Amino acid sequence: MESTVAQKLEAIHNLQLLDSKLDAIIKVRGALPEEVQDLEDEIAGYETRLEKFQSEIDSFENEIKALKESIKESEKLIKKYQEQQMNVRNNREYDAITKELELQDLEIQVAKKKITEAGYRIDTKKVDLEELSAVKKDRQKDLDQKNSELTSIVSESESEEAKLKNDREKATKKVDERLLKSYTKIRANAKNGLAVVLVKRGACGGCFNTVPPQRQADIREKKKLIVCEHCGRILAGVEDEIVEEVAPKKKRATKSTKAKA
Ligand SMILES: [Zn+2]
């Protein structure tokens, strides 16, 4: 069943009202959700770097372990060679063993030097690790605070938001498909999130440009879809001005006050 233009306009306007309410809820949360996300990303980055530091420290420690093992091996060999040296039969054998002893001695010296170097690297990495841990801890504190702020703001509007979303889903089903497409497009490009507006005080409710009287009359008729010629927003109707002419007591009357219904 084809719905009339008036029905289509009512449906899309209804959707706009719900979306505007949802926008207002999101706006209250401000930049908080994004800040929370940024902090979470930042902290995840620190964690990755901390893990890398730790694995570097681990590998240096493993290196030291292996070097200590090789020193032990060398010491064993030295002991063995020294015993062999006691029982040599000639100078050639003696010299050969002396060379082996010198070689093992050199191996030990190199290993000790490497252990010192690795130890130094571990110390440096540990300083980096501690510094980064402190930064991370700091950031975590910020995150916790922002998270609790966000949680309390969200909880204030949680049920309202859920209801609006539910209503929105229902409202969307009533909207003409093609109209919904252009609505989504206009809304995405509109800073204030308004795609469907009323003519208020002779002006477009979205861009505040004047809507000529004849056009206003056409809009009132709701025989066809009319968009604002300035901003392209869908003009769903003309808001009737409730003018309450109160006897002007004050000399400097500001803008005409609308009745607070
Ligand atoms: Zn406009």
Side-chain angles (χ1 to χ4, degrees):
M1 200 183 81
E2 188 70 21
S3 52
T4 66
V5 170
Q7 283 167 333
K8 283 181 184 174
L9 281 172
E10 198 196 328
I12 197 76
H13 191 217
N14 186 33
L15 182 65
Q16 175 69 72
L17 294 176
L18 292 166
D19 275 338
S20 292
K21 281 180 187 167
L22 279 163
D23 287 349
I25 287 175
I26 302 298
K27 204 177 170 190
V28 168
R29 291 172 196 168
L32 265 178
E34 212 174 295
E35 283 168 19
V36 164
Q37 184 61 54
D38 285 351
L39 277 169
E40 279 171 350
D41 292 347
E42 198 182 333
I43 289 167
Y46 292 145
E47 269 160 9
T48 309
R49 279 172 67 195
L50 286 170
E51 276 168 26
K52 198 174 156 256
F53 284 165
Q54 190 54 57
S55 84
E56 281 168 351
I57 289 170
D58 290 348
S59 88
F60 283 131
E61 275 168 354
N62 284 335
E63 193 189 332
I64 290 175
K65 222 190 253 172
L67 287 164
K68 282 183 175 166
E69 278 306 310
S70 87
I71 289 174
K72 268 187 203 161
E73 285 302 310
S74 292
E75 283 169 347
K76 260 190 223 165
L77 284 172
I78 287 171
K79 218 174 172 187
K80 194 181 101 189
Y81 292 145
Q82 280 170 342
E83 278 164 15
Q84 282 176 2
Q85 222 171 22
M86 304 287 190
N87 308 308
V88 289
R89 284 163 295 183
N90 53 48
N91 276 348
R92 206 170 54 83
E93 269 185 34
Y94 186 90
D95 290 346
I97 292 175
T98 305
K99 261 198 185 130
E100 284 300 325
L101 281 168
E102 281 171 2
L103 189 71
Q104 290 309 318
D105 194 51
L106 195 68
E107 293 264 329
I108 291 174
Q109 284 179 46
V110 170
K112 280 184 174 166
K113 195 166 168 266
K114 279 184 180 166
I115 287 171
T116 311
E117 278 169 10
Y120 175 73
R121 291 213 169 117
I122 287 172
D123 290 346
T124 314
K125 282 284 162 214
K126 277 187 175 166
V127 171
D128 291 348
L129 192 105
E130 270 165 38
E131 278 175 4
L132 200 60
S133 294
V135 173
K136 190 195 138 195
K137 217 173 164 186
D138 222 42
R139 290 322 221 187
Q140 187 64 52
K141 241 191 259 168
D142 287 350
L143 176 62
D144 292 345
Q145 199 203 328
K146 287 204 191 293
N147 248 334
S148 76
E149 271 176 55
L150 184 59
T151 307
S152 91
I153 291 173
V154 169
S155 72
E156 278 169 23
S157 51
E158 217 168 20
S159 60
E160 195 193 348
E161 189 185 5
K163 190 189 172 296
L164 283 169
K165 278 184 175 164
N166 189 34
D167 290 351
R168 188 193 189 278
E169 207 173 302
K170 284 184 205 154
T172 308
K173 282 176 191 151
K174 290 180 188 159
V175 177
D176 177 86
E177 215 170 292
R178 270 171 58 201
L179 196 55
L180 184 63
K181 255 188 197 168
S182 47
Y183 168 82
T184 309
K185 213 165 150 190
I186 300 168
R187 215 171 105 76
N189 292 321
K191 269 183 193 159
N192 52 11
L194 292 175
V196 180
V197 292
L198 296 175
V199 176
K200 290 179 184 176
R201 291 178 198 169
C204 163
C207 70
F208 309 111
N209 277 299
T210 308
V211 179
Q214 182 49 52
R215 215 168 162 75
Q216 286 189 45
D218 292 343
I219 294 161
R220 275 183 199 277
E221 273 199 347
K222 299 188 179 177
K223 289 273 183 275
K224 55 178 179 175
L225 285 169
I226 296 174
V227 297
C228 171
E229 51 192 339
H230 299 282
C231 67
R233 287 183 175 90
I234 299 157
L235 297 166
V238 179
E239 192 181 71
D240 288 310
E241 251 187 279
I242 308 156
V243 190
E244 237 177 50
E245 281 299 338
V246 186
K249 280 177 186 171
K250 286 173 192 166
K251 274 179 190 169
R252 249 177 0 105
T254 45
K255 279 182 189 170
S256 66
T257 38
K258 270 209 284 176
K260 282 174 191 161

